[in-house]
Amino acid sequence: MKKLIIIILALFAFAVPAFAKEDPCPPDLDPYITAMQDLQAEFDETGDITAFTNDLQQIIVNLENLHNQCSPFQEVQVEHFAVSYPKDWVEETQNDDIIVFGTSLNVLDALGSESPMIPSGEIGVGVFVDVTEIFGDLPPNSEEPLRDFADLLLDELSDDSGFTFNEPVYFAVNDRRALRVDFSDESFDASIIVVHLGDENYTIIVPITAAGEFQSFEPTLMEILNSARYIP
């Protein structure tokens, strides 16, 4: 049991202070360390595993809340879906099917126009929450749903668009399969990213930047992708 305490302390000792230098809420872990030490001492004396487990769970919940408070990301939820984005971005939830967020209101305005011109240094992200709700179910004989869902958007975009499309790339998001198709023209870079959220649940995430600026947002984009989850 003592080893479990050490592991938990080690995890949060490295996870929480990562934001301490710049975040306005630098976490103080000393009270939590003291509480765990006291809890360990009480268990060594009483052997009450039920009380130990309950108190330990509360400490873990408090640590998780502290981590979320000091995280540079915030979460938006709609029915059966959640995704996180940086706290200094702006977000507009269209409905339970579509979420849009980006670095500024100017980006969101651009995404709503017929010919989006993304300001330099910024990014906008559109999320199609439940792909089957928007596009319908795939045929029962579909062997590659990730590619089939991507093709639904690609077919719409490729007709007389003049866009340049890259080859599809498969990768993993939190051990879930995902497919990415980058595309661009002279004014922007964008991507269609289909993520399997488990069972029959899929989401499509479409980020867009000014031309030549997509790569600088890759780390943030991966954080967003990793946060996407289905809520039963």
Side-chain angles (χ1 to χ4, degrees):
M1 191 64 68
K2 188 172 295 185
K3 183 178 180 181
L4 175 61
I5 294 290
I6 294 172
I7 292 172
I8 293 172
L9 283 171
L11 284 174
F12 283 98
F14 286 100
V16 178
F19 310 109
K21 292 184 179 180
E22 299 180 2
D23 199 278
C25 57
D28 179 10
L29 291 181
D30 288 343
Y32 300 95
I33 295 173
T34 300
M36 285 187 168
Q37 291 172 339
D38 292 344
L39 183 59
Q40 181 69 62
E42 181 179 349
F43 175 75
D44 290 342
E45 181 178 346
T46 67
D48 188 340
I49 187 62
T50 301
F52 177 88
T53 303
N54 291 340
D55 291 343
L56 177 61
Q57 183 60 41
Q58 186 57 56
I59 293 174
I60 293 174
V61 169
N62 292 340
L63 281 168
E64 289 175 343
N65 290 338
L66 178 65
H67 182 272
N68 292 335
Q69 179 185 4
C70 294
S71 170
F73 282 75
Q74 62 185 351
E75 186 176 78
V76 56
Q77 290 189 13
V78 294
E79 185 177 8
H80 299 307
F81 180 80
V83 67
S84 296
Y85 61 91
K87 285 181 176 177
D88 57 351
W89 289 16
V90 294
E91 173 258 326
E92 289 183 358
T93 300
Q94 309 291 320
N95 48 52
D96 284 346
D97 295 327
I98 299 175
I99 302 171
V100 180
F101 47 79
T103 45
S104 74
L105 287 174
N106 289 335
V107 172
L108 299 192
D109 290 341
L111 292 178
S113 66
E114 292 185 2
S115 301
M117 295 294 294
I118 306 301
S120 178
E122 305 207 45
I123 184 174
V125 181
V127 181
F128 296 95
V129 172
D130 186 340
V131 179
T132 57
E133 283 290 327
I134 299 173
F135 299 106
D137 295 326
L138 290 175
N141 60 349
S142 173
E143 296 182 357
E144 187 43 82
L146 291 174
R147 181 60 190 266
D148 290 341
F149 280 128
D151 284 343
L152 291 174
L153 280 183
L154 290 172
D155 290 343
E156 295 290 331
L157 292 172
S158 59
D159 293 341
D160 301 321
S161 64
F163 298 155
T164 299
F165 295 91
N166 293 352
E167 288 297 315
V169 175
Y170 288 89
F171 63 107
V173 174
N174 284 335
D175 296 325
R176 302 287 191 186
R177 295 185 71 229
L179 173 70
R180 171 173 171 168
V181 181
D182 293 339
F183 65 100
S184 62
D185 72 0
E186 60 184 13
S187 64
F188 72 85
D189 291 341
S191 186
I192 295 172
I193 303 171
V194 188
V195 181
H196 183 209
L197 300 179
D199 296 327
E200 301 301 317
N201 304 297
Y202 297 84
T203 187
I204 294 180
I205 297 176
V206 183
I208 180 171
T209 72
E213 298 186 3
F214 203 101
Q215 186 173 1
S216 64
F217 289 99
E218 289 281 4
T220 302
L221 177 59
M222 286 307 303
E223 293 278 1
I224 292 170
L225 295 176
N226 285 327
S227 75
R229 60 190 177 94
Y230 176 78
I231 304 174

